[in-house]
Structures are given as C-alpha cells and as structure tokens.
Amino acid sequence: MSTFPGGTSLSFLDVYDDAAPDGVVGGSPHLHLASTECYAVVGGEGELHTVTPDGCREIPLHPGAVVWFTPGTVHRAVNHGGLRVVVLMGNAGLPEAGDAVMTFPADVVADPDRYRAAATLPPRATEAERAADARARRDLAVEGFLPLRDAVRAGDPEPLLAFHTAAAALVRARAGGWGAIVRGGPLDQAGATLALVGDVARGVAPHLRRAAVHEARRPERVFGMCGRLSPVDVSAAPPAAPAARPGPPDEERPS
C-alpha cells in the first residue's frame, strides 16, 4: 500500500505550447470516468475549459489557482504562456488503467480498435517525432471536442451525453480490474487510517514507532494528454536517507 496521502497520484504538467487547428494553444480534451482531478497552478497563465451537461466554463488559471473537477467533466487545458500545473488525481493508477477517454470523433470512440490506435503514441526515435504524434492525437481530440462544446453552448446536451455513453462502453472490458486498484489504494489506506484512529481513541499509538519519511525519485518527462507530464512514482517511495553527519573537509575525503 502506498503511504502517499489519500491513495492519490501527483504529476507535474507543462501544458503544450503549440496551437490546435482551432487556434487554441493547449492540450487534449478528455474526461475521466471514475476519478476526480485537481489542478494546482504553480507557474504561467492559462485557462481550464470544461464542458458538462450544465454548461461550459472557461476558468482562469494563474499561480496559486486551484480547481478540481469530478468524473464526466470534459476538460481542456489552455496555455497562455508558461502554464505549469501540479496535478493531483484521485485513485492512483486508475487513469493509467483506462479511466481517461479523449474526445475523439464519435466514430473513433465507438470502435475500440480505432480508439486504441489513435490514443497510443508509438515508440519513436526522435523527440520531434514523438512531439508530432502527440500533436496529432491532441488535434483529433479537439476535432471531436468542438461539436460537443458547441452543442452544449446551444442548449443541447445530447451529443455530450452520447459521448458519455460511448466512453463507458469503450472501457467496459477493462473496467472489471479497476476495483482492485481502488481497494489496494484509497480504500486500503482509508481502512488503515480508521484502525489507527481506533487505536488513538483507546489511548494507544504503537504505529508512531514506525514513523518514516519518504521521498520520490526525480520523475521522467513524457508526452501526456495535456502536455509534457512528469508523473511522480509514489507507489513505493523509499524512505528518505537520514541526514548525513558533517564529514571531513573536501581535501581530506578519499577520492
């Protein structure tokens, strides 16, 4: 069981800084079927564009802004310059297991093989090739996003609701394994916390003797849906090493 708070995940996100075909600079619109996501902005400026059956919003993003959105919210990160976000995601491991569905055109979302082909970034030899693949994927998601957004703006949520249905059908085959991820993450951690609270309520706290500090390794930077993503591995972060005692001066240290 990960000890990271709440069984969540954390990533650093540098939102894409090139324009989609509609002229908007940013990432791939998508939704999550079972996880709530949070943006905590640490740099730059931008907006979060969201579409729900209740309507469309364009929320300003600036350092210090915090915004979160629940499953079913179609969201698009828009970069006005240097936008960098800390992403907190509920249910660590679930988005990687297929909880996220991009807003590709309806005929693509309806076909699992076509969706998989469009969503998967193939291995490439160069950074430029990988960036081009990510851009093409983003542009296809924008192509499907615009009609959904425009219909909701016009007071017609039906295309969005149809996308919800298609997204659920798309992931149905693999969603059977999601329960194990939730049970082994946030649910397991909540159960462990309840046990600790019960001990403290009885006036005992043997778990305090097992106190530990953990630190994550430096994350690798990959091409994500919304930008260059640096996911932090908190699944089994090793305890931090104790602070080193002062050693001899540099010139006395063995080479």
Side-chain angles (χ1 to χ4, degrees):
M1 178 185 70
S2 171
T3 57
F4 196 74
T8 61
S9 66
L10 182 149
S11 301
F12 297 98
L13 172 65
D14 295 287
V15 178
Y16 289 131
D17 58 3
D18 62 309
D22 63 342
V24 176
V25 175
S28 306
H30 63 283
L31 59 68
H32 297 277
L33 284 98
S35 297
T36 292
E37 184 174 5
C38 174
Y39 279 11
V41 183
V42 295
E45 301 287 338
E47 294 176 338
L48 181 71
H49 292 187
T50 65
V51 181
T52 69
D54 291 333
C56 303
R57 295 183 64 185
E58 297 181 357
I59 303 169
L61 298 178
H62 48 76
V66 176
V67 57
W68 64 93
F69 34 95
T70 60
T73 303
V74 175
H75 51 284
R76 182 186 191 186
V78 174
N79 189 355
H80 292 330
L83 183 60
R84 193 163 205 252
V85 175
V86 173
V87 179
L88 297 172
M89 178 69 67
N91 308 313
L94 211 56
E96 295 79 3
D99 170 51
V101 174
M102 284 176 276
T103 56
F104 294 149
D107 59 330
V108 178
V109 178
D111 185 328
D113 291 334
R114 290 184 64 191
Y115 182 89
R116 188 180 306 109
T120 303
L121 298 180
R124 299 292 190 186
T126 70
E127 181 88 354
E129 290 173 324
R130 292 191 291 273
D133 287 338
R135 186 180 309 114
R137 182 176 68 175
R138 185 273 313 274
D139 293 352
L140 186 64
V142 169
E143 180 184 334
F145 167 78
L146 296 177
L148 301 179
R149 181 202 64 187
D150 293 346
V152 170
R153 282 180 173 174
D156 178 14
E158 290 307 316
L160 176 63
L161 299 180
F163 174 70
H164 286 174
T165 300
L170 180 68
V171 305
R172 180 180 179 183
R174 57 180 179 266
W178 293 1
I181 295 173
V182 176
R183 285 190 293 272
L187 189 59
D188 197 7
Q189 191 173 115
T193 301
L194 283 173
L196 302 184
V197 170
D199 283 346
V200 174
R202 291 189 294 273
V204 296
H207 62 279
L208 299 182
R209 301 175 187 176
R210 302 190 298 273
V213 178
H214 298 267
E215 60 180 331
R217 298 177 180 87
R218 183 178 179 87
E220 294 184 5
R221 204 160 175 249
V222 299
F223 286 95
M225 292 185 184
C226 294
R228 296 302 302 271
L229 193 65
S230 302
V232 178
D233 182 4
V234 297
S235 58
R245 296 180 180 179
D250 285 344
E251 61 271 22
E252 294 180 15
R253 291 178 182 167
S255 58

